[in-house]
Amino acid sequence: MKAIIFDLDGVICFTDKYHYIAWKKLADKNGIYFDEEINNRLRGVSRMDSLEIILERADRTYTAEEKEAMAAEKNASYVELLKEMSPADLSDEVKNTLDELRNRGYKLAIGSSSKNTKMILKQIGLGEFFDAVSDGTNITKSKPDPEVFLKAAEFIGENPADCLVVEDAKAGIEAATAGGFKSAGLGEATEHPSVTYKLGSFKDLLEICI
Ligand code: B16
Ligand code: MG
C-alpha cells in the first residue's frame, strides 16, 4: 500500500450531531417526522439523497425547486454549527495516527461526499495537512459510486490497488470495493461483507499500514 484515502465524517471527525440538528430543524418546520435512526441512514449519503430519505416521511410531494431550497436552508443551518468546530474536535488518537502514517511514508488523502469538506478540515486544523482532497465539489455521483475515491487516487497519482480506503459507512465500503480499493471499516462499515480489514479503533491502522 502506498496511500491511504480517508472518509471525513465519522472517520477523521464527527459531524453527525450537527447534521442531525440541521435536518431536524428543517423537518420540524415542514411537519415531517425525523429521528436519530433516520439520521443514521444519511451517513456517507449526499445532501440531495439525504433529503430524499427525509421526504419518505412527508405527506406531500415537493417540486425540484422546493427541494433545492430545503437543501440550501439545511446547509445554511449546518454551516452555522460547523463554525463552532475547532482543533479540539480532532482527537489525539486521530492526529497522532495520521502523523505516524505520514512518518511511515504513506501519501494521505481525503475522499468525502461532503461539499463542506474544506471548511471542516480548516476548522479542525487540518486545512493544509492532506496531499489531496476529493470531495462533494468534484464529483457527479455519490457513494456507493466509487467516483470520489477514484478522483482521490488520481489526484495523488496512485492506482486504486495501491490505496487503502478508510470508511465508517457501508456505502463507502461498497464504493471502495467497486473502485478496486482495499478497505478498512470502522463501526457499521465493519459489517459490510466486502470490507478488507475491520478496525476496532482508528489507531489500529498502524497495525495494517506498517
Ligand atoms: P454536505 P462523508 C458525508 O460525509 C456525510 O456522512 C453525510 O451525512 C452528508 O450528507 C454528506 O457528507 C454530504 O454533506 O451536506 O456537507 O455536502 O462521510 O462522506 O465524509
Ligand atoms: Mg463517513
Side-chain angles (χ1 to χ4, degrees), residues 27-187:
D28 286 353
K29 188 176 155 191
N30 289 279
I32 301 166
Y33 179 78
F34 181 67
D35 63 15
E36 304 237 7
E37 209 176 308
I38 301 171
N39 194 54
N40 246 329
R41 289 175 56 204
L42 312 184
R43 221 175 272 278
V45 176
S46 74
R47 194 180 307 162
M48 291 312 285
D49 290 347
S50 297
L51 179 62
E52 292 298 341
I53 291 174
I54 288 161
L55 294 181
E56 285 171 8
R57 295 293 194 112
D59 51 19
R60 71 166 177 97
T61 55
Y62 289 81
T63 64
E65 290 73 27
E66 283 176 313
K67 287 179 189 174
E68 285 296 336
M70 288 168 106
E73 189 178 331
K74 179 268 175 176
N75 192 54
S77 325
Y78 178 61
V79 166
E80 271 313 301
L81 296 165
L82 291 181
K83 289 180 185 163
E84 290 170 23
M85 290 187 91
S86 75
D89 289 293
L90 178 65
S91 72
D92 287 345
E93 178 184 355
V94 170
K95 181 72 181 98
N96 295 339
T97 304
L98 288 173
D99 287 341
E100 177 56 22
L101 291 169
R102 167 135 306 146
N103 286 340
R104 292 183 186 184
Y106 290 96
K107 287 185 188 171
L108 307 176
I110 289 286
S112 167
S113 303
S114 176
K115 291 184 172 164
N116 295 298
T117 294
K118 292 182 184 79
M119 176 184 180
I120 296 169
L121 289 174
K122 202 168 161 204
Q123 292 297 111
I124 61 175
L126 292 180
E128 305 297 322
F129 182 83
F130 292 95
D131 298 305
V133 174
S134 170
D135 64 20
T137 64
N138 60 255
I139 55 170
T140 53
K141 286 161 278 174
S142 96
K143 301 168 192 174
D145 189 281
E147 186 180 10
V148 73
F149 297 134
L150 291 172
K151 282 270 160 55
E154 186 187 316
F155 293 164
I156 50 176
E158 298 292 350
N159 290 320
D162 296 322
C163 303
L164 177 73
V165 166
V166 187
E167 259 291 347
D168 70 311
K170 287 180 186 165
I173 299 295
E174 212 166 310
T177 308
F181 299 86
K182 290 189 199 70
S183 63
L186 281 159

